[in-house]
Amino acid sequence: MKVGDVMSTEVLTIGPDAPLKEAATMMVKAGVSGLPVIDDGRKVIGIITEADFVTAEANRSWGRQRRRLLASLFGETEAPQARSVADAMTANPHTIDSASSVTEAARKMTELGVKRLPVALPDGTLEGIISRADVMGAFARPDDALQSEIYTDVALGVLQLHDSSVAVDVVDGAVTLRGSVPTRSEARLLEELATRVEGVVSVSSDVTWSTDDTKQGFGAAGT
C-alpha cells in the first residue's frame, strides 16, 4: 500500500503571511493539529502545528519579561515576535512522495517525532498529507483484505504460484500460510513478502517445498 492510497488530498493550507490567530482559528474549526504552509505556487515551504503555537507563546512570555528588563536597565525595547505564520512555522519541513510505502511513512514519522507529513511532488508542490491516523487505518485493514492481497497479489501475482498450491488464512491480522511450492526459495519469499503487507501482525508458515534451490546442487524435499 502506497502513501497515495491513504493520504488526504483535500488539504487545509495557509500562507506564510497569515496572522497566527487565523492559523489557530482554522485549526480549531477543522479539528486538525497542523497546517502545511504553501507559497503562491502551492509549494510546501513550512508547516505549523500545535507545538509551534506553544513555543511561540513561551517565547512571547519570555519576550515580555526581557523587554521589561531591558527597558528598566537601558531604556531599550524589542518588537513582539511571532505575529505571522512565517514567524512560528517550521520551515523546510520533511515531506514524502505519494509512491512511498505506508510503512516508510510510519518509519519517517516515528524517527522525526511528527504526527503528519506533507506529500509533495518532486518540485515541492503539495499533493496531499498523510497523518498517523491514516497510517493506523492502513494497519487496521480487515482480515479479508489482507488475505486477498497476500493470496492474489503476492502468491499468484508476484511468485506466480499455482492457484491451488497455497492457502492463506488471516485472523486478527495473524497470517497462516499452508500448502506446497516447488522450491525452498519460493517458500521463503512467500513468507517474507507476506510479512511486508501493511496490516499484517505476524506470519506463520506451514508451506513445504520439493527442491532446496538455496544450495549448490539442490537438495532433498523438506519444509
Side-chain angles (χ1 to χ4, degrees), residues 126-215:
L126 182 68
E127 189 175 11
I129 195 165
I130 184 169
S131 66
R132 287 183 180 178
D134 297 322
V135 172
M136 290 299 294
F139 280 88
R141 296 170 65 196
D143 289 341
D144 58 351
L146 299 178
Q147 191 275 341
S148 177
E149 181 171 346
I150 295 170
Y151 180 75
T152 304
D153 296 346
V154 176
L156 304 187
V158 176
L159 299 180
Q160 297 187 341
L161 299 173
H162 191 274
D163 58 6
S164 62
S165 61
V166 294
V168 180
D169 297 316
V170 184
V171 179
D172 295 332
V175 178
T176 301
L177 305 173
R178 299 186 179 86
S180 179
V181 297
T183 65
R184 186 174 187 178
S185 63
E186 287 173 314
R188 285 182 174 178
L189 276 172
L190 177 60
E191 183 175 1
E192 176 63 25
L193 293 175
T195 64
R196 299 187 182 187
V197 172
E198 280 87 358
V200 168
V201 175
S202 64
V203 176
S204 174
S205 179
D206 294 324
V207 175
T208 60
W209 41 269
S210 302
T211 304
D212 187 353
D213 61 342
T214 64
K215 296 180 180 179

